[in-house]
Amino acid sequence: MLYVACEGESTEPDYLQYLNEQFGDGDDQGRQPFRIQPVCRRNGLTPSEVVEAAHRKAAGEDEAWALFDRDQWEDIPQAVKTAAEAGIELAFSHPSFDLWLLLHFQPFGGAQGGSSKLV
């Protein structure tokens, strides 16, 4: 079991669920089965809240990760410090995660100005 607390409320958790569905059962080539449990909240979380949520869910029993953007938050240094003290792994999401996903399936160009509406 792997807990991944996410800043976002839909795109990142949806992607993690996709990983569960596609790869979570393992395979006959030696890949071990796994289960990712997304941890999120409606209207999102700050980086410090992401770290706290990961720590609370894993409770020292399972692997825990905190996943957040690094583009707009002032509490990132505190989140990084808290994660290190609690043994929580960190991963930075792409600031335009939905664009990153879309580019797996089709070309997309032009300036978005930080907005995901076009994506």
Side-chain angles (χ1 to χ4, degrees), residues 76-86 90:
I76 289 176
Q78 181 59 47
V80 170
K81 180 180 181 212
T82 303
E85 292 169 354
L90 293 179

Side-chain angles (χ1 to χ4, degrees), residues 15-35:
Y15 180 69
L16 296 172
Q17 190 57 41
Y18 170 81
L19 293 176
N20 281 328
E21 292 166 5
Q22 293 299 310
F23 307 106
D25 291 335
D27 64 19
D28 57 359
Q29 297 176 1
R31 290 190 185 123
Q32 297 296 313
F34 64 85
R35 171 81 179 139

Side-chain angles (χ1 to χ4, degrees), residues 9-92:
E9 68 177 292
S10 60
T11 310
E12 290 91 342
D14 288 349
Y15 180 69
L16 296 172
Q17 190 57 41
Y18 170 81
L19 293 176
N20 281 328
E21 292 166 5
Q22 293 299 310
F23 307 106
D25 291 335
D27 64 19
D28 57 359
Q29 297 176 1
R31 290 190 185 123
Q32 297 296 313
F34 64 85
R35 171 81 179 139
I36 299 172
Q37 179 61 51
V39 178
C40 56
R41 182 177 73 195
R42 186 173 173 86
N43 298 319
L45 300 165
T46 67
S48 290
E49 292 170 333
V50 169
V51 170
E52 176 58 33
H55 184 60
R56 200 173 44 250
K57 284 293 184 178
E61 296 296 320
D62 295 298
E63 188 171 342
W65 285 74
L67 172 64
F68 50 83
D69 294 350
R70 58 172 190 225
D71 59 339
Q72 66 179 356
W73 300 105
E74 294 179 10
D75 74 332
I76 289 176
Q78 181 59 47
V80 170
K81 180 180 181 212
T82 303
E85 292 169 354
I88 305 295
E89 301 290 339
L90 293 179
F92 291 112

